[in-house]
Amino acid sequence: MRATVARVHLCRLSSRQSVGLVRSAKAEGLPVSCDVSVNQLHLTDMDIGYFNAAMRLTPPLRQQRDRDAIRAALADGTIDALVSDHTPVDEDAKNLPFAEADRVPPGWSCCSAWR
């Protein structure tokens, strides 16, 4: 980015480290933007429970401190967009054992089920 001055958009931030990198890049004036999914904003690794295949996501769910950093970054404008990240998944694919289930986000339906 520094050499080419190309605009870069980073999709689906999920960790406090990634938030820190984006914040630093923006402070330098680099043309970067980013988004986060509702899954990362509302869920943590604790929501996986007993290896609930519906919670096998890409990017994976992170710890509470990562979620807190993402929420703060969304509030202060470091994160530019909030996305649903919904990808249709065949129900049979999500009923497999955790390790075999597809790594795709179930979208808002998983968040509302875990309130």
Side-chain angles (χ1 to χ4, degrees):
M1 254 178 10
R2 286 182 188 95
T4 64
V5 193
R7 297 185 62 74
V8 174
H9 181 79
L10 303 170
C11 297
R12 315 311 176 263
L13 295 189
S14 67
S15 70
R16 64 190 169 102
Q17 293 87 354
S18 60
V19 168
L21 291 171
V22 169
R23 188 172 276 124
S24 295
K26 287 185 172 193
E28 285 183 46
L30 295 174
V32 62
S33 61
C34 63
D35 65 51
V36 64
S37 77
V38 294
N39 300 324
Q40 302 299 331
L41 192 65
H42 293 287
L43 302 171
T44 69
D45 58 347
M46 297 304 292
D47 291 305
I48 293 171
Y50 292 103
F51 299 102
N52 179 352
M55 296 297 149
R56 187 161 193 232
L57 309 175
T58 299
L61 295 174
R62 308 288 184 186
Q63 297 177 5
Q64 176 76 37
R65 64 185 178 192
D66 296 297
R67 184 179 76 178
D68 293 345
I70 286 169
R71 287 178 172 185
L74 187 63
D76 72 20
T78 300
I79 295 176
D80 302 288
L82 177 62
V83 298
S84 73
D85 203 23
H86 180 73
T87 303
V89 179
D90 182 88
E91 190 169 329
D92 291 337
K94 280 297 186 181
N95 287 328
L96 295 170
F98 186 82
E100 298 172 28
D102 289 343
R103 283 184 165 246
V104 293
W108 182 249
S109 59
C110 83
C111 294
S112 60
W114 284 89
R115 287 190 278 189

